[in-house]
Amino acid sequence: MATIKEISRNRVHGGEQLRIQHHSAVLSCDMIFGVFLPPQAASGPVPVLYWLSGLTCTDENFTQKAGAQRLASKLGLAIVCPDTSPRGTDLPGEHDDWDFGSGAGFYVNATREPWSAHYQMFDYVTEELPAIIEANFPVTDQRSVSGHSMGGHGALMCALKKPENYCSVSAFAPICHPSETRWGIKAFSHYLGEDRNEWLEWDATQLVCKTDRQLPILIDQGADDEFLGDELKPGSLEQACICTHHPLQVNMREGYDHSYYFITSFIDDHLRYHARALGLLK
Amino acid sequence: MATIKEISRNRVHGGEQLRIQHHSAVLSCDMIFGVFLPPQAASGPVPVLYWLSGLTCTDENFTQKAGAQRLASKLGLAIVCPDTSPRGTDLPGEHDDWDFGSGAGFYVNATREPWSAHYQMFDYVTEELPAIIEANFPVTDQRSVSGHSMGGHGALMCALKKPENYCSVSAFAPICHPSETRWGIKAFSHYLGEDRNEWLEWDATQLVCKTDRQLPILIDQGADDEFLGDELKPGSLEQACICTHHPLQVNMREGYDHSYYFITSFIDDHLRYHARALGLLK
């Protein structure tokens, strides 16, 4: 197991918010993640919520803006926030667009060069990172997963492709059908190539039809989200869930947009949802 | 009254977080401030907490990182967040240092050129801005004031120099005795000149000895704050308050530093403190 390095540690709501740097063998680069440890972690292992952030984000957006530590401290829930792409690499065009390359790894395992050498974000967030977390911090192997936008889709993929690894899944304003929307098409054609059959393995609306263990899905979606119609398309996922009898709850939130102001408004509901699945709340 | 322009509006916790641009006659430049309106403002005027931010901040740090809207929405409290200095000006050396000039107005009225033409932040936050707020938004003239670091000192000055204007005052990790500490000496010598007698009007520890209406002071201070000993010096203020029988409560918070992780951990206590003074809580 590679060594990890503590970059910063801030006390917050009685717990500790850490930033950790490490070398990722899966991504072939150094990465930074955030981990919040609630006060309960001082006396025994606690379960973990993995939070996957959206386009342009780093490990810090959620930790600084969501206000999740307040309730997580009461619940006894650790929160791990990975970065959104490999870092420190300099592939052709990697840093040119905000919706592709750095800050936009889409949580897939790239199969096309030059991306495949580093952009293995699915294996990173579902395998390498949990192994590092569970080897280095006082946590159990009870995991839940959530995320926002691109990271909301990432959370859905984690739960749909590896349901045995998670106790619960939720998402805020997730991209629901990336193989049919602009951000997703752009990313998938570079990371996965032009054969759209390969994309189906990385599209939540498609994956709902394939999963054999149905983890219920909770989604909150702002009704005034500027990306709702063109990029997110929760209706596609809803339709697929109806067809496959996959349990899904979508809360449309009147007046809310795509920002962290929306996330912070409903994060407590999601924390309680995961806490119940993780046995922290009845 | 100058016109104001709405730059952005985000729903958060049932209320609205606005960013507003306007021309400041006092500062002779365009300024941006944040205003949070709780849901109660839709049915009648609500009281206002003014939040003064610290060095390097803008109007956005508090609104994005403090997590104050959650409880403010329940209490029915508006929160106004001004910027920390004049903007859009280009005075000699104004943008060279993070602890002086832009982002570092220190909430004083500068008397020395070239600063005096714009750096009238005390009049801005205590007179022009409240007048704009009360003319344009559904708020009462019941005001409280709080802030962080440089802005914590700003809040203390507001309450000590104009106690009749505020119902309550609090501060997070305030600079307490700027005329005797490095940041303050640097700022005051430029904004106010080298005659230290003029500085006494802008130093909370000195002002405690002069005020005739004693508004109780609430301070939260991280015990592990990296600036505690050299720049903040709450002991000086405590000593002055003891001598003058000025009511002061300082909560030292073990393990907390100077960051917004500290502020968000205790902001609810301060919101309730102000809500009680403003008649929103018993």
Side-chain angles (χ1 to χ4, degrees), chain A residues 9-15 17 60 63-65 69-70 254-257 259 261-262 264-266 268, chain B residues 9-15 17 60 63-65 69-70 254-257 259 261-262 264-266 268:
Chain A
R9 174 185 292 255
N10 299 90
R11 185 158 295 180
V12 56
H13 284 293
Q17 180 65 55
E60 291 198 292
T63 61
Q64 293 184 345
K65 294 183 176 179
Q69 297 97 342
R70 189 187 64 86
E254 207 61 45
Y256 286 88
D257 59 27
S259 70
Y261 289 118
F262 161 60
T264 194
S265 299
F266 298 100
D268 284 3
Chain B
R9 174 185 291 255
N10 300 89
R11 185 158 296 181
V12 55
H13 285 293
Q17 180 64 55
E60 291 198 292
T63 62
Q64 294 184 345
K65 295 183 177 179
Q69 296 97 342
R70 189 187 64 87
E254 208 61 43
Y256 287 89
D257 59 27
S259 71
Y261 289 117
F262 161 60
T264 194
S265 299
F266 299 100
D268 284 3

Side-chain angles (χ1 to χ4, degrees), chain B residues 19-235:
Chain B
R19 292 189 81 202
I20 303 290
Q21 189 172 45
H22 72 108
H23 182 77
S24 166
V26 166
L27 304 178
S28 297
C29 65
D30 285 353
M31 294 291 285
I32 295 174
F33 61 83
V35 53
F36 171 71
L37 295 173
Q40 294 86 343
S43 49
V46 296
V48 182
L49 174 66
Y50 287 82
W51 173 270
L52 306 183
S53 282
L55 291 167
T56 77
C57 288
T58 69
D59 61 295
E60 291 198 292
N61 299 66
F62 183 83
T63 62
Q64 294 184 345
K65 295 183 177 179
Q69 296 97 342
R70 189 187 64 87
L71 184 57
S73 259
K74 294 181 182 167
L75 296 168
L77 179 63
I79 305 177
V80 171
C81 297
D83 206 343
T84 54
S85 75
R87 298 289 179 179
T89 49
D90 198 11
L91 305 174
E94 187 180 17
H95 311 308
D96 294 351
D97 297 346
W98 65 270
D99 58 357
F100 174 73
S102 52
F106 266 82
Y107 305 101
V108 302
N109 291 335
T111 55
R112 291 297 178 275
E113 292 184 350
W115 311 102
S116 54
H118 297 285
Y119 279 69
Q120 303 292 321
M121 286 295 288
F122 187 74
D123 284 352
Y124 175 66
V125 299
T126 61
E127 294 182 14
E128 187 182 30
L129 184 59
I132 289 168
I133 295 296
E134 289 160 27
N136 288 280
F137 298 97
V139 298
T140 69
D141 61 358
Q142 297 294 97
R143 307 175 203 103
S144 291
V145 63
S146 186
H148 174 228
S149 196
M150 172 185 78
H153 186 257
L156 295 175
M157 284 199 300
C158 289
L160 292 166
K161 290 169 78 77
K162 297 195 171 187
E164 66 282 3
N165 286 14
Y166 300 96
C167 295
S168 52
V169 59
S170 77
F172 288 79
I175 298 171
C176 288
H177 198 12
S179 64
E180 299 289 342
T181 48
R182 201 180 53 85
W183 289 338
I185 292 169
K186 181 175 179 178
F188 286 6
S189 59
H190 285 87
Y191 296 143
L192 306 171
E194 295 296 344
D195 178 359
R196 294 193 172 214
N197 287 320
E198 295 194 23
W199 299 8
L200 307 184
E201 287 297 319
W202 304 100
D203 183 307
T205 294
Q206 296 292 338
L207 289 167
V208 159
C209 305
K210 295 189 178 191
T211 185
D212 49 357
R213 184 179 157 216
Q214 295 193 326
L215 216 49
I217 297 169
L218 169 65
I219 290 176
D220 270 73
Q221 172 64 57
D224 284 10
D225 188 322
E226 56 272 39
F227 302 115
L228 177 55
D230 289 343
E231 298 288 355
L232 307 180
K233 292 197 180 296

Side-chain angles (χ1 to χ4, degrees), chain A residues 1-96:
Chain A
M1 181 64 67
T3 55
I4 64 172
K5 178 182 166 192
E6 184 178 307
I7 294 177
S8 65
R9 174 185 292 255
N10 299 90
R11 185 158 295 180
V12 56
H13 284 293
E16 300 283 343
Q17 180 65 55
L18 312 182
R19 292 189 81 202
I20 303 291
Q21 189 172 46
H22 72 110
H23 182 77
S24 165
V26 166
L27 305 178
S28 297
C29 64
D30 285 352
M31 294 291 285
I32 295 174
F33 62 83
V35 53
F36 171 72
L37 296 172
Q40 293 86 342
S43 49
V46 297
V48 182
L49 174 66
Y50 288 81
W51 174 270
L52 306 184
S53 282
L55 291 167
T56 77
C57 287
T58 70
D59 61 294
E60 291 198 292
N61 299 64
F62 183 83
T63 61
Q64 293 184 345
K65 294 183 176 179
Q69 297 97 342
R70 189 187 64 86
L71 184 57
S73 260
K74 293 180 182 168
L75 295 169
L77 180 62
I79 304 177
V80 171
C81 297
D83 207 341
T84 54
S85 75
R87 299 288 180 179
T89 48
D90 198 13
L91 305 174
E94 187 180 18
H95 311 307
D96 294 352

